[in-house]
Amino acid sequence: MFQYFKPSKRLGAALLSFLLGGFVLNFIMQAASLNMDFGSVFAWISQYCWLYISGSLFFFFILLVFAAVIPNMYSGALIAFLVCSILALANYKKLGTTGEPLFPWDLMQIKNAKEMSKITKGMISPIAVVAVIVLITALIYLICKLPKIKVQLPLRLTLVVVSVMMIAGFIQMVGGQHVLATSMKYQSIPWNQKVNYSQNGFVYAFTGNLNQNLMDKPDGYSEEAIAEIAQKYSGLPDTPSGKAPAEQPNIMYLMDEAFFDPTRMPTYTFSQDPLQFIHRVQNTTPSGFMLSPEFGGNTANIEFEALTGLSMYFLKDGSIPYQQRIVKMPSLPSIVSILKEKGYEAKALHPFDDTFYNRNRVYPILGFDQFTSEKDMQNADRFTPNGYISDMFAVQEAVSELKKADKPTFLHLVTMQNHFPFTKGLNGENTITVGGVKQEYKDELETYVHDTKLTDDALAYLSKEIKNIKRPTIVVFWGDHLPALSEGIYTQAGWNDNPRLKHETKLLYMANFDIGKQSVGTLSPAFIGPTVFQLSGQNMPPYYRLLEKVKSEIPGLNKQVLIGSSGVISGLNPEQQELVNDYRMVEYDLLEGKQYSVNLLFNS
């Protein structure tokens, strides 16, 4: 029997090579988290040597389990090495584009690999593509040339069991913040994930995030505490600022992908104003800026705030509620459910894959009755075959839905036209010349500016068409986040050191009835709902009165910048802190707690 477990010299050499591969792989992973600065990697290893050694052993067991499962041991290990290297590349590119590292929940997008390849086209340089091809070729060559090691089934099973136990034990040690992990200087830093990855290393930070809650339990959380909050805000006056129309109005959300006003950037000049319509009407209707919780990506998080009134400010760094929490819930109160109780029909429209960010599963949880996605738009207009569905077509679809509705309708539209990559010609020939921009960025910036002009045209069409809808209709338009343009474009404009500017997008309210023309200032997306209710003269549930009270004190609630009623503030005064504490308590209750708020704060 023991002959099945007798190791050979070839097996010993293979195990040694896997161990070396684990150390190399961990080095690559950490280099990706430190902008490929090898000097910083060596400095990190010298300071956190035990994190590096234990993390490398983790990768050793990853390589070993693949080697034991696949008949040719070297083939399995090399495949695992390649997969992990691709994760390192993804981590490096995501950090460079959005400023955030790769999280476990990002891997859920693998099911959308086809769509992701389209979205990320242009993000990876030709040199990187060639390097990957060379690496894959080299791995295939090695697989063919390295000796074939025959390992009997009992030994293979033993290697698999031992490896899986070690991997599971490591995950448990990190996730539970075991004393062994802390003795090696591991310190979970979920509130700053970039530091988390650079300090703890990719393997510790990524593993620590596997079971990460969206937010920690606030001190004093209880049913009594929620009831006290409900009583406090139920007593606030519910006085809409607008005059209620004769019948319940349609409400349309238009969240436009990666849209902001490029003419706000100094240094650059434009051959014509790309936003002629927006700039013409912004002083004749309520308008201002939306303070996005994100930059360059994570559209679902802005959507989450706008639909639920819950704030990303309270959630741990890198959180994506759609993927981590909401998809597992039976229901969650939102503007959708609030309006449905008022007799509304709720429809969502998104001209892209319906499974992206789990929208096909999340939308019903929020209360939507209907979801129209790209697969339902067989004859959709695109400027080129490889382009996204145009904003104009998406707006036309939305108008069609509103015109044929026989009851008040809430319609939520999320567009795709302006999504990365900003490839010249993707949305037709560029029509605006940008001056003052460095030649290396000229095509990219002119392409983006051209795209914003197309959005402006679509918005002008929408403004005209809502006047032809019989039912009173109010539209809220905003950009979800600034685009992931090359950093040099923002650097030249002097924006990189100004978090407010890098998170402000255009916000515009339009209606076919009188909603006034006052400026709304700069708002977080969580406060869009209460503002719509006010402008349309509708009564608000206590939860919205809480949001309205927070908005009056801190209209811009963002981890990068706080905006008070008179501008940027450096901190919160006692009254503001109490408001924020109440807000946090309710948010925890709805997302992680017992949902006592549902019956206490959501009845008008």
mmCIF file of all heavy atoms in Angstrom, residues 434-474:
data_model
loop_
_atom_site.group_PDB
_atom_site.id
_atom_site.type_symbol
_atom_site.label_atom_id
_atom_site.label_comp_id
_atom_site.label_asym_id
_atom_site.label_seq_id
_atom_site.Cartn_x
_atom_site.Cartn_y
_atom_site.Cartn_z
ATOM 1 N N VAL A 434 -11.039 70.122 -30.035
ATOM 2 C CA VAL A 434 -10.627 70.588 -28.707
ATOM 3 C C VAL A 434 -9.217 71.158 -28.792
ATOM 4 O O VAL A 434 -8.295 70.482 -29.281
ATOM 5 C CB VAL A 434 -10.683 69.452 -27.666
ATOM 6 C CG1 VAL A 434 -10.256 69.965 -26.295
ATOM 7 C CG2 VAL A 434 -12.083 68.860 -27.588
ATOM 8 N N GLY A 435 -9.044 72.381 -28.339
ATOM 9 C CA GLY A 435 -7.735 73.010 -28.334
ATOM 10 C C GLY A 435 -7.103 72.974 -26.952
ATOM 11 O O GLY A 435 -7.795 72.828 -25.943
ATOM 12 N N GLY A 436 -5.776 73.095 -26.913
ATOM 13 C CA GLY A 436 -5.065 73.136 -25.640
ATOM 14 C C GLY A 436 -4.764 71.780 -25.053
ATOM 15 O O GLY A 436 -4.164 71.687 -23.974
ATOM 16 N N VAL A 437 -5.159 70.705 -25.722
ATOM 17 C CA VAL A 437 -4.940 69.367 -25.195
ATOM 18 C C VAL A 437 -3.680 68.771 -25.826
ATOM 19 O O VAL A 437 -3.373 69.016 -26.999
ATOM 20 C CB VAL A 437 -6.156 68.453 -25.474
ATOM 21 C CG1 VAL A 437 -6.412 68.306 -26.975
ATOM 22 C CG2 VAL A 437 -5.983 67.094 -24.827
ATOM 23 N N LYS A 438 -2.925 68.019 -25.058
ATOM 24 C CA LYS A 438 -1.735 67.371 -25.586
ATOM 25 C C LYS A 438 -2.115 66.414 -26.710
ATOM 26 O O LYS A 438 -3.159 65.774 -26.670
ATOM 27 C CB LYS A 438 -1.009 66.615 -24.477
ATOM 28 C CG LYS A 438 -0.413 67.525 -23.413
ATOM 29 C CD LYS A 438 0.312 66.725 -22.337
ATOM 30 C CE LYS A 438 0.923 67.644 -21.280
ATOM 31 N NZ LYS A 438 1.596 66.883 -20.196
ATOM 32 N N GLN A 439 -1.251 66.313 -27.712
ATOM 33 C CA GLN A 439 -1.548 65.533 -28.901
ATOM 34 C C GLN A 439 -1.879 64.081 -28.580
ATOM 35 O O GLN A 439 -2.756 63.478 -29.204
ATOM 36 C CB GLN A 439 -0.352 65.587 -29.869
ATOM 37 C CG GLN A 439 -0.645 65.028 -31.254
ATOM 38 C CD GLN A 439 -1.744 65.793 -31.977
ATOM 39 O OE1 GLN A 439 -1.822 67.024 -31.883
ATOM 40 N NE2 GLN A 439 -2.606 65.084 -32.694
ATOM 41 N N GLU A 440 -1.234 63.526 -27.563
ATOM 42 C CA GLU A 440 -1.457 62.109 -27.233
ATOM 43 C C GLU A 440 -2.862 61.844 -26.700
ATOM 44 O O GLU A 440 -3.338 60.707 -26.716
ATOM 45 C CB GLU A 440 -0.418 61.643 -26.210
ATOM 46 C CG GLU A 440 -0.483 62.417 -24.887
ATOM 47 C CD GLU A 440 0.725 62.168 -23.998
ATOM 48 O OE1 GLU A 440 0.845 61.040 -23.473
ATOM 49 O OE2 GLU A 440 1.541 63.105 -23.838
ATOM 50 N N TYR A 441 -3.531 62.907 -26.238
ATOM 51 C CA TYR A 441 -4.882 62.743 -25.694
ATOM 52 C C TYR A 441 -5.958 63.357 -26.586
ATOM 53 O O TYR A 441 -7.141 63.285 -26.253
ATOM 54 C CB TYR A 441 -4.981 63.401 -24.305
ATOM 55 C CG TYR A 441 -3.959 62.926 -23.312
ATOM 56 C CD1 TYR A 441 -3.151 63.838 -22.628
ATOM 57 C CD2 TYR A 441 -3.784 61.563 -23.037
ATOM 58 C CE1 TYR A 441 -2.213 63.405 -21.700
ATOM 59 C CE2 TYR A 441 -2.845 61.132 -22.116
ATOM 60 C CZ TYR A 441 -2.061 62.056 -21.456
ATOM 61 O OH TYR A 441 -1.129 61.629 -20.539
ATOM 62 N N LYS A 442 -5.560 63.957 -27.687
ATOM 63 C CA LYS A 442 -6.481 64.756 -28.505
ATOM 64 C C LYS A 442 -7.646 63.914 -29.037
ATOM 65 O O LYS A 442 -8.820 64.296 -28.887
ATOM 66 C CB LYS A 442 -5.724 65.414 -29.658
ATOM 67 C CG LYS A 442 -6.570 66.416 -30.445
ATOM 68 C CD LYS A 442 -5.719 67.152 -31.467
ATOM 69 C CE LYS A 442 -6.552 68.120 -32.297
ATOM 70 N NZ LYS A 442 -7.143 69.191 -31.468
ATOM 71 N N ASP A 443 -7.366 62.781 -29.666
ATOM 72 C CA ASP A 443 -8.443 61.942 -30.223
ATOM 73 C C ASP A 443 -9.387 61.448 -29.127
ATOM 74 O O ASP A 443 -10.605 61.435 -29.301
ATOM 75 C CB ASP A 443 -7.855 60.745 -30.975
ATOM 76 C CG ASP A 443 -7.333 61.127 -32.347
ATOM 77 O OD1 ASP A 443 -7.623 62.245 -32.810
ATOM 78 O OD2 ASP A 443 -6.629 60.300 -32.967
ATOM 79 N N GLU A 444 -8.804 61.057 -27.990
ATOM 80 C CA GLU A 444 -9.607 60.533 -26.889
ATOM 81 C C GLU A 444 -10.570 61.590 -26.350
ATOM 82 O O GLU A 444 -11.770 61.334 -26.194
ATOM 83 C CB GLU A 444 -8.689 60.045 -25.771
ATOM 84 C CG GLU A 444 -9.429 59.497 -24.561
ATOM 85 C CD GLU A 444 -8.479 59.139 -23.421
ATOM 86 O OE1 GLU A 444 -7.259 59.377 -23.556
ATOM 87 O OE2 GLU A 444 -8.973 58.643 -22.386
ATOM 88 N N LEU A 445 -10.060 62.790 -26.091
ATOM 89 C CA LEU A 445 -10.899 63.843 -25.526
ATOM 90 C C LEU A 445 -11.930 64.327 -26.544
ATOM 91 O O LEU A 445 -13.103 64.544 -26.194
ATOM 92 C CB LEU A 445 -10.037 65.011 -25.038
ATOM 93 C CG LEU A 445 -10.787 66.147 -24.333
ATOM 94 C CD1 LEU A 445 -11.613 65.615 -23.168
ATOM 95 C CD2 LEU A 445 -9.810 67.219 -23.845
ATOM 96 N N GLU A 446 -11.523 64.471 -27.805
ATOM 97 C CA GLU A 446 -12.469 64.920 -28.828
ATOM 98 C C GLU A 446 -13.563 63.889 -29.048
ATOM 99 O O GLU A 446 -14.723 64.250 -29.305
ATOM 100 C CB GLU A 446 -11.735 65.222 -30.129
ATOM 101 C CG GLU A 446 -10.893 66.485 -30.054
ATOM 102 C CD GLU A 446 -10.218 66.855 -31.367
ATOM 103 O OE1 GLU A 446 -10.196 66.010 -32.284
ATOM 104 O OE2 GLU A 446 -9.716 67.990 -31.473
ATOM 105 N N THR A 447 -13.233 62.624 -28.927
ATOM 106 C CA THR A 447 -14.241 61.565 -29.043
ATOM 107 C C THR A 447 -15.241 61.661 -27.904
ATOM 108 O O THR A 447 -16.455 61.581 -28.120
ATOM 109 C CB THR A 447 -13.572 60.175 -29.040
ATOM 110 O OG1 THR A 447 -12.739 60.054 -30.192
ATOM 111 C CG2 THR A 447 -14.612 59.059 -29.052
ATOM 112 N N TYR A 448 -14.739 61.850 -26.687
ATOM 113 C CA TYR A 448 -15.648 61.962 -25.547
ATOM 114 C C TYR A 448 -16.543 63.193 -25.676
ATOM 115 O O TYR A 448 -17.750 63.131 -25.419
ATOM 116 C CB TYR A 448 -14.881 62.002 -24.224
ATOM 117 C CG TYR A 448 -15.825 62.190 -23.061
ATOM 118 C CD1 TYR A 448 -16.605 61.129 -22.603
ATOM 119 C CD2 TYR A 448 -16.010 63.441 -22.467
ATOM 120 C CE1 TYR A 448 -17.525 61.299 -21.586
ATOM 121 C CE2 TYR A 448 -16.928 63.620 -21.447
ATOM 122 C CZ TYR A 448 -17.679 62.549 -21.009
ATOM 123 O OH TYR A 448 -18.607 62.719 -20.017
ATOM 124 N N VAL A 449 -15.964 64.327 -26.058
ATOM 125 C CA VAL A 449 -16.743 65.565 -26.205
ATOM 126 C C VAL A 449 -17.819 65.384 -27.273
ATOM 127 O O VAL A 449 -18.965 65.827 -27.110
ATOM 128 C CB VAL A 449 -15.809 66.746 -26.551
ATOM 129 C CG1 VAL A 449 -16.618 67.981 -26.926
ATOM 130 C CG2 VAL A 449 -14.900 67.063 -25.360
ATOM 131 N N HIS A 450 -17.470 64.715 -28.359
ATOM 132 C CA HIS A 450 -18.459 64.414 -29.408
ATOM 133 C C HIS A 450 -19.604 63.574 -28.838
ATOM 134 O O HIS A 450 -20.783 63.817 -29.131
ATOM 135 C CB HIS A 450 -17.780 63.669 -30.555
ATOM 136 C CG HIS A 450 -18.722 63.046 -31.538
ATOM 137 N ND1 HIS A 450 -19.449 63.777 -32.452
ATOM 138 C CD2 HIS A 450 -19.073 61.742 -31.740
ATOM 139 C CE1 HIS A 450 -20.196 62.962 -33.173
ATOM 140 N NE2 HIS A 450 -19.992 61.723 -32.766
ATOM 141 N N ASP A 451 -19.263 62.597 -28.003
ATOM 142 C CA ASP A 451 -20.292 61.747 -27.391
ATOM 143 C C ASP A 451 -21.246 62.568 -26.519
ATOM 144 O O ASP A 451 -22.457 62.333 -26.503
ATOM 145 C CB ASP A 451 -19.643 60.650 -26.547
ATOM 146 C CG ASP A 451 -18.894 59.626 -27.397
ATOM 147 O OD1 ASP A 451 -19.053 59.639 -28.636
ATOM 148 O OD2 ASP A 451 -18.139 58.816 -26.811
ATOM 149 N N THR A 452 -20.704 63.537 -25.769
ATOM 150 C CA THR A 452 -21.577 64.357 -24.923
ATOM 151 C C THR A 452 -22.516 65.206 -25.760
ATOM 152 O O THR A 452 -23.650 65.476 -25.345
ATOM 153 C CB THR A 452 -20.763 65.271 -23.976
ATOM 154 O OG1 THR A 452 -20.000 66.215 -24.736
ATOM 155 C CG2 THR A 452 -19.821 64.456 -23.091
ATOM 156 N N LYS A 453 -22.074 65.620 -26.938
ATOM 157 C CA LYS A 453 -22.951 66.376 -27.837
ATOM 158 C C LYS A 453 -24.132 65.506 -28.270
ATOM 159 O O LYS A 453 -25.278 65.973 -28.356
ATOM 160 C CB LYS A 453 -22.180 66.862 -29.063
ATOM 161 C CG LYS A 453 -23.035 67.643 -30.061
ATOM 162 C CD LYS A 453 -22.230 68.038 -31.293
ATOM 163 C CE LYS A 453 -23.103 68.865 -32.255
ATOM 164 N NZ LYS A 453 -24.291 68.104 -32.729
ATOM 165 N N LEU A 454 -23.861 64.226 -28.545
ATOM 166 C CA LEU A 454 -24.938 63.307 -28.927
ATOM 167 C C LEU A 454 -25.939 63.145 -27.787
ATOM 168 O O LEU A 454 -27.152 63.059 -28.018
ATOM 169 C CB LEU A 454 -24.343 61.945 -29.312
ATOM 170 C CG LEU A 454 -23.379 61.943 -30.502
ATOM 171 C CD1 LEU A 454 -22.785 60.552 -30.693
ATOM 172 C CD2 LEU A 454 -24.082 62.408 -31.775
ATOM 173 N N THR A 455 -25.443 63.104 -26.563
ATOM 174 C CA THR A 455 -26.334 63.020 -25.397
ATOM 175 C C THR A 455 -27.156 64.299 -25.271
ATOM 176 O O THR A 455 -28.357 64.254 -24.966
ATOM 177 C CB THR A 455 -25.522 62.782 -24.118
ATOM 178 O OG1 THR A 455 -24.849 61.523 -24.210
ATOM 179 C CG2 THR A 455 -26.418 62.782 -22.885
ATOM 180 N N ASP A 456 -26.527 65.436 -25.495
ATOM 181 C CA ASP A 456 -27.228 66.723 -25.434
ATOM 182 C C ASP A 456 -28.359 66.758 -26.462
ATOM 183 O O ASP A 456 -29.461 67.238 -26.176
ATOM 184 C CB ASP A 456 -26.229 67.848 -25.690
ATOM 185 C CG ASP A 456 -26.820 69.229 -25.443
ATOM 186 O OD1 ASP A 456 -27.069 69.553 -24.268
ATOM 187 O OD2 ASP A 456 -27.034 69.969 -26.417
ATOM 188 N N ASP A 457 -28.107 66.225 -27.654
ATOM 189 C CA ASP A 457 -29.146 66.153 -28.692
ATOM 190 C C ASP A 457 -30.314 65.283 -28.228
ATOM 191 O O ASP A 457 -31.489 65.619 -28.453
ATOM 192 C CB ASP A 457 -28.567 65.585 -29.990
ATOM 193 C CG ASP A 457 -27.558 66.511 -30.647
ATOM 194 O OD1 ASP A 457 -27.560 67.719 -30.332
ATOM 195 O OD2 ASP A 457 -26.759 66.026 -31.476
ATOM 196 N N ALA A 458 -29.994 64.154 -27.602
ATOM 197 C CA ALA A 458 -31.036 63.243 -27.116
ATOM 198 C C ALA A 458 -31.873 63.910 -26.025
ATOM 199 O O ALA A 458 -33.092 63.722 -25.953
ATOM 200 C CB ALA A 458 -30.408 61.954 -26.593
ATOM 201 N N LEU A 459 -31.212 64.705 -25.191
ATOM 202 C CA LEU A 459 -31.929 65.393 -24.105
ATOM 203 C C LEU A 459 -32.834 66.489 -24.665
ATOM 204 O O LEU A 459 -33.943 66.708 -24.154
ATOM 205 C CB LEU A 459 -30.913 65.979 -23.119
ATOM 206 C CG LEU A 459 -31.389 66.202 -21.686
ATOM 207 C CD1 LEU A 459 -31.869 64.903 -21.069
ATOM 208 C CD2 LEU A 459 -30.279 66.810 -20.842
ATOM 209 N N ALA A 460 -32.373 67.166 -25.710
ATOM 210 C CA ALA A 460 -33.208 68.181 -26.360
ATOM 211 C C ALA A 460 -34.460 67.529 -26.955
ATOM 212 O O ALA A 460 -35.570 68.076 -26.858
ATOM 213 C CB ALA A 460 -32.411 68.892 -27.453
ATOM 214 N N TYR A 461 -34.283 66.354 -27.549
ATOM 215 C CA TYR A 461 -35.423 65.605 -28.088
ATOM 216 C C TYR A 461 -36.391 65.229 -26.966
ATOM 217 O O TYR A 461 -37.613 65.376 -27.109
ATOM 218 C CB TYR A 461 -34.915 64.347 -28.800
ATOM 219 C CG TYR A 461 -35.997 63.340 -29.129
ATOM 220 C CD1 TYR A 461 -36.760 63.459 -30.288
ATOM 221 C CD2 TYR A 461 -36.267 62.276 -28.271
ATOM 222 C CE1 TYR A 461 -37.768 62.542 -30.582
ATOM 223 C CE2 TYR A 461 -37.262 61.356 -28.549
ATOM 224 C CZ TYR A 461 -38.005 61.503 -29.707
ATOM 225 O OH TYR A 461 -38.991 60.598 -29.986
ATOM 226 N N LEU A 462 -35.854 64.762 -25.860
ATOM 227 C CA LEU A 462 -36.691 64.356 -24.730
ATOM 228 C C LEU A 462 -37.486 65.542 -24.195
ATOM 229 O O LEU A 462 -38.687 65.430 -23.894
ATOM 230 C CB LEU A 462 -35.822 63.760 -23.625
ATOM 231 C CG LEU A 462 -36.528 63.372 -22.331
ATOM 232 C CD1 LEU A 462 -37.601 62.322 -22.581
ATOM 233 C CD2 LEU A 462 -35.514 62.856 -21.305
ATOM 234 N N SER A 463 -36.849 66.709 -24.088
ATOM 235 C CA SER A 463 -37.519 67.903 -23.584
ATOM 236 C C SER A 463 -38.713 68.268 -24.459
ATOM 237 O O SER A 463 -39.780 68.668 -23.967
ATOM 238 C CB SER A 463 -36.529 69.065 -23.531
ATOM 239 O OG SER A 463 -37.164 70.266 -23.156
ATOM 240 N N LYS A 464 -38.530 68.135 -25.760
ATOM 241 C CA LYS A 464 -39.612 68.457 -26.700
ATOM 242 C C LYS A 464 -40.734 67.427 -26.602
ATOM 243 O O LYS A 464 -41.924 67.778 -26.588
ATOM 244 C CB LYS A 464 -39.052 68.493 -28.126
ATOM 245 C CG LYS A 464 -40.089 68.848 -29.194
ATOM 246 C CD LYS A 464 -39.479 68.789 -30.587
ATOM 247 C CE LYS A 464 -39.155 67.345 -30.982
ATOM 248 N NZ LYS A 464 -38.696 67.237 -32.390
ATOM 249 N N GLU A 465 -40.360 66.145 -26.500
ATOM 250 C CA GLU A 465 -41.362 65.079 -26.537
ATOM 251 C C GLU A 465 -42.214 65.001 -25.271
ATOM 252 O O GLU A 465 -43.374 64.627 -25.329
ATOM 253 C CB GLU A 465 -40.680 63.727 -26.789
ATOM 254 C CG GLU A 465 -40.175 63.552 -28.209
ATOM 255 C CD GLU A 465 -41.296 63.638 -29.235
ATOM 256 O OE1 GLU A 465 -42.341 62.983 -29.032
ATOM 257 O OE2 GLU A 465 -41.130 64.379 -30.224
ATOM 258 N N ILE A 466 -41.633 65.318 -24.099
ATOM 259 C CA ILE A 466 -42.454 65.204 -22.882
ATOM 260 C C ILE A 466 -43.585 66.229 -22.884
ATOM 261 O O ILE A 466 -44.588 66.050 -22.202
ATOM 262 C CB ILE A 466 -41.612 65.335 -21.587
ATOM 263 C CG1 ILE A 466 -40.925 66.688 -21.490
ATOM 264 C CG2 ILE A 466 -40.634 64.187 -21.465
ATOM 265 C CD1 ILE A 466 -40.209 66.908 -20.167
ATOM 266 N N LYS A 467 -43.428 67.280 -23.688
ATOM 267 C CA LYS A 467 -44.505 68.263 -23.801
ATOM 268 C C LYS A 467 -45.704 67.680 -24.540
ATOM 269 O O LYS A 467 -46.826 68.206 -24.457
ATOM 270 C CB LYS A 467 -43.998 69.520 -24.504
ATOM 271 C CG LYS A 467 -42.970 70.316 -23.704
ATOM 272 C CD LYS A 467 -42.494 71.546 -24.463
ATOM 273 C CE LYS A 467 -41.566 72.404 -23.616
ATOM 274 N NZ LYS A 467 -40.335 71.715 -23.228
ATOM 275 N N ASN A 468 -45.467 66.601 -25.288
ATOM 276 C CA ASN A 468 -46.543 65.947 -26.036
ATOM 277 C C ASN A 468 -47.178 64.792 -25.264
ATOM 278 O O ASN A 468 -48.051 64.100 -25.793
ATOM 279 C CB ASN A 468 -46.014 65.431 -27.377
ATOM 280 C CG ASN A 468 -45.512 66.549 -28.273
ATOM 281 O OD1 ASN A 468 -46.097 67.631 -28.295
ATOM 282 N ND2 ASN A 468 -44.432 66.298 -28.994
ATOM 283 N N ILE A 469 -46.723 64.563 -24.040
ATOM 284 C CA ILE A 469 -47.319 63.525 -23.192
ATOM 285 C C ILE A 469 -48.444 64.157 -22.394
ATOM 286 O O ILE A 469 -48.258 65.191 -21.739
ATOM 287 C CB ILE A 469 -46.247 62.907 -22.257
ATOM 288 C CG1 ILE A 469 -45.148 62.226 -23.091
ATOM 289 C CG2 ILE A 469 -46.890 61.900 -21.310
ATOM 290 C CD1 ILE A 469 -43.983 61.698 -22.266
ATOM 291 N N LYS A 470 -49.620 63.570 -22.445
ATOM 292 C CA LYS A 470 -50.791 64.166 -21.805
ATOM 293 C C LYS A 470 -50.651 64.228 -20.290
ATOM 294 O O LYS A 470 -51.009 65.209 -19.650
ATOM 295 C CB LYS A 470 -52.039 63.378 -22.193
ATOM 296 C CG LYS A 470 -52.402 63.483 -23.675
ATOM 297 C CD LYS A 470 -53.654 62.691 -23.995
ATOM 298 C CE LYS A 470 -54.007 62.802 -25.470
ATOM 299 N NZ LYS A 470 -55.228 62.006 -25.804
ATOM 300 N N ARG A 471 -50.153 63.167 -19.700
ATOM 301 C CA ARG A 471 -50.012 63.132 -18.239
ATOM 302 C C ARG A 471 -48.857 64.031 -17.802
ATOM 303 O O ARG A 471 -47.822 64.085 -18.470
ATOM 304 C CB ARG A 471 -49.778 61.698 -17.762
ATOM 305 C CG ARG A 471 -49.637 61.567 -16.240
ATOM 306 C CD ARG A 471 -49.444 60.112 -15.834
ATOM 307 N NE ARG A 471 -50.658 59.332 -16.071
ATOM 308 C CZ ARG A 471 -51.679 59.258 -15.231
ATOM 309 N NH1 ARG A 471 -51.637 59.916 -14.086
ATOM 310 N NH2 ARG A 471 -52.738 58.530 -15.536
ATOM 311 N N PRO A 472 -48.997 64.760 -16.701
ATOM 312 C CA PRO A 472 -47.850 65.512 -16.169
ATOM 313 C C PRO A 472 -46.643 64.580 -16.028
ATOM 314 O O PRO A 472 -46.782 63.452 -15.555
ATOM 315 C CB PRO A 472 -48.350 66.003 -14.812
ATOM 316 C CG PRO A 472 -49.835 66.014 -14.928
ATOM 317 C CD PRO A 472 -50.187 64.872 -15.840
ATOM 318 N N THR A 473 -45.491 65.063 -16.447
ATOM 319 C CA THR A 473 -44.290 64.212 -16.467
ATOM 320 C C THR A 473 -43.088 65.019 -16.005
ATOM 321 O O THR A 473 -42.866 66.142 -16.470
ATOM 322 C CB THR A 473 -44.031 63.668 -17.886
ATOM 323 O OG1 THR A 473 -45.161 62.886 -18.313
ATOM 324 C CG2 THR A 473 -42.784 62.808 -17.924
ATOM 325 N N ILE A 474 -42.323 64.440 -15.085
ATOM 326 C CA ILE A 474 -41.090 65.077 -14.615
ATOM 327 C C ILE A 474 -39.928 64.130 -14.885
ATOM 328 O O ILE A 474 -40.035 62.913 -14.675
ATOM 329 C CB ILE A 474 -41.180 65.454 -13.118
ATOM 330 C CG1 ILE A 474 -39.905 66.188 -12.670
ATOM 331 C CG2 ILE A 474 -41.455 64.241 -12.242
ATOM 332 C CD1 ILE A 474 -40.020 66.820 -11.286
#
